[in-house]
């Protein structure tokens, strides 16, 4: 992602609707979520429907979390889950492949990786068709549940033990250096519901540090997956003629859903 940002155009302002499904509605339709008909998309035309009529091969992989299925809204190919979240290793009953139920989960399954596996399959079809392609990936990561491959988590263990106070200050300074925050801007105080890191018990600090390590590992895996897709496009000789847009919606989930996370999760079984 950094490589794309450095060689492309970085936007310093971006607006989302503070929730994943509504941001996705706006991205697909170009309308405010309620204008588009919310989850139903009943008052909208998706970008996939428009470019499909213009002769594009259209496909999607990943999370849908709207009414019906992507194949009902202009996507000629689709693999992913219709649910708002899923177990990253075991999936759920809403996975679909071109409208049909899909349950090909195996011991090596991880949703982020599979998104790119199917993206490459669909792009192979697109290139064979000779048509220009429009492909959309909606990664579930780093949405809850907090789940990542062990090898990725281990790369981040201990990194966040200095606490969120120091980390947010470091990031604030970096944002100023990048020109995203003005130099005159002061670092806002912590929200009232947030404790100072020093007020947490050692066990709480260990838990929060580990939880952030898993979150970071999930983002890392997305980054690796995007790299794999870029390598594919380059190998096929179409990377330089492909417009690539990457955006995120509302960041970390505010809901408390990982209270029973084990530290580390692979110990004892």
């Amino acid at each position: 992602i950094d490589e794309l940002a450095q060689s492309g155009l970085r936007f310093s302002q971006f607006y989302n609707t503070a929730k994943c499904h509504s941001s996705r509605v706006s991205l697909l339709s170009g309308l405010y979520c309620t204008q588009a008909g919310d989850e139903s998309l009943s008052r909208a035309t998706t970008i996939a429907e428009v470019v499909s009529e213009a002769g594009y091969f259209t496909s999607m992989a990943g999370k849908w979390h709207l009414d019906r299925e992507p194949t009902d809204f202009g996507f000629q190919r689709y693999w992913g889950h219709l649910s708002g979240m899923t177990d990253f290793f075991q999936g759920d009953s809403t996975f679909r492949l071109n409208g049909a139920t899909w349950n090909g989960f195996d011991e090596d399954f991880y949703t982020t990786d599979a998104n790119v596996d199917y993206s490459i399959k669909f792009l192979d079809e697109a290139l064979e068709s000779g048509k220009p392609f429009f492909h959309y990936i909606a990664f579930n990561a780093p949405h809850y549940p907090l789940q990542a491959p062990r090898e990725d988590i281990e790369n981040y263990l201990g990194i966040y033990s200095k606490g969120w106070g120091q980390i947010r200050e470091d990031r604030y300074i970096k944002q100023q250096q990048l020109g995203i925050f003005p130099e005159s801007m002061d670092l806002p105080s912590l929200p009232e519901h947030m404790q100072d890191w020093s007020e947490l018990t050692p066990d709480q600090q260990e838990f929060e540090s580990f939880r952030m390590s898993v979150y970071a590992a999930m983002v890392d895996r997305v980054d690796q997956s995007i790299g794999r897709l870029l390598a594919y496009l380059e190998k096929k000789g179409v990377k330089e003629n492909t417009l690539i847009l990457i955006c995120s919606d509302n960041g970390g989930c505010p809901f408390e859903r990982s209270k029973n996370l084990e530290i580390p999760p692979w110990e004892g079984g």
Side-chain angles (χ1 to χ4, degrees):
I1 295 174
D2 283 347
E3 180 184 346
L4 284 172
Q6 290 163 6
S7 60
L9 180 66
R10 286 178 288 178
F11 294 94
S12 60
Q13 292 188 11
F14 183 81
Y15 297 89
N16 65 64
T17 67
K19 194 162 179 64
C20 53
H21 95 268
S22 48
S23 293
R24 188 160 46 257
V25 167
S26 295
L27 286 171
L28 289 169
S29 68
L31 300 173
Y32 287 110
C33 183
T34 52
Q35 281 182 309
D38 211 328
E39 293 102 325
S40 71
L41 289 168
S42 59
R43 296 192 294 271
T45 301
T46 70
I47 184 174
E49 289 173 302
V50 173
V51 299
S52 180
E53 290 186 6
Y56 276 67
F57 186 102
T58 58
S59 55
M60 175 185 168
K63 171 181 170 177
W64 181 239
H65 199 204
L66 302 175
D67 287 354
R68 295 189 284 171
E69 301 186 22
T71 46
D72 297 315
F73 292 96
F75 290 100
Q76 299 157 19
R77 302 288 186 276
Y78 171 68
W79 178 90
H81 57 101
L82 306 178
S83 54
M85 51 79 67
T86 187
D87 186 297
F88 282 84
F89 293 103
Q90 298 181 14
D92 61 37
S93 62
T94 73
F95 275 76
R96 300 289 184 270
L97 175 59
N98 301 328
T101 299
W102 185 92
N103 57 6
F105 310 105
D106 57 32
E107 61 181 14
D108 296 322
F109 180 82
Y110 185 66
T111 303
T112 300
D113 297 342
N115 281 331
V116 172
D117 292 340
Y118 276 89
S119 294
I120 289 174
K121 289 182 180 180
F122 295 153
L123 291 177
D124 273 340
E125 288 188 61
L127 294 175
E128 288 174 7
S129 74
K131 297 180 179 180
F133 62 81
F134 172 78
H135 182 70
Y136 167 50
I137 308 177
F139 287 106
N140 193 51
H143 196 287
Y144 62 81
L146 292 177
Q147 296 174 325
R150 175 173 177 171
E151 61 268 24
D152 292 331
I153 297 174
E154 289 178 333
N155 290 332
Y156 291 93
L157 292 179
I159 288 180
Y160 299 96
S161 58
K162 59 183 177 181
W164 50 57
Q166 184 61 55
I167 290 171
R168 74 191 292 265
E169 184 174 341
D170 293 343
R171 291 179 177 176
Y172 155 76
I173 293 171
K174 182 178 180 181
Q175 298 301 305
Q176 287 186 315
Q177 293 171 342
L178 291 171
I180 297 176
F181 293 166
E183 292 186 5
S184 59
M185 174 183 166
D186 294 327
L187 176 64
S189 57
L190 281 172
E192 291 184 2
H193 68 278
M194 291 290 295
Q195 290 179 276
D196 186 88
W197 183 258
S198 62
E199 297 175 355
L200 272 61
T201 66
D203 285 346
Q204 289 174 324
Q205 290 181 352
E206 181 186 20
F207 173 76
E208 295 295 347
S209 175
F210 176 71
R211 185 160 65 161
M212 189 60 208
S213 298
V214 181
Y215 185 91
M218 294 171 75
V219 175
D220 191 323
R221 197 69 167 205
V222 170
D223 190 65
Q224 295 176 50
S225 299
I226 291 173
R228 186 156 61 94
L229 186 59
L230 293 176
Y232 164 83
L233 294 174
E234 188 164 19
K235 180 180 178 181
K236 294 293 184 178
V238 295
K239 180 182 175 184
E240 293 305 313
N241 195 35
T242 301
L243 173 64
I244 302 169
L245 302 173
I246 297 180
C247 60
S248 178
D249 54 10
N250 42 286
C253 181
F255 307 126
E256 182 58 77
R257 297 180 184 268
S258 55
K259 292 181 179 180
N260 298 320
L261 198 65
E262 297 177 23
I263 308 176
W266 48 81
E267 285 188 354

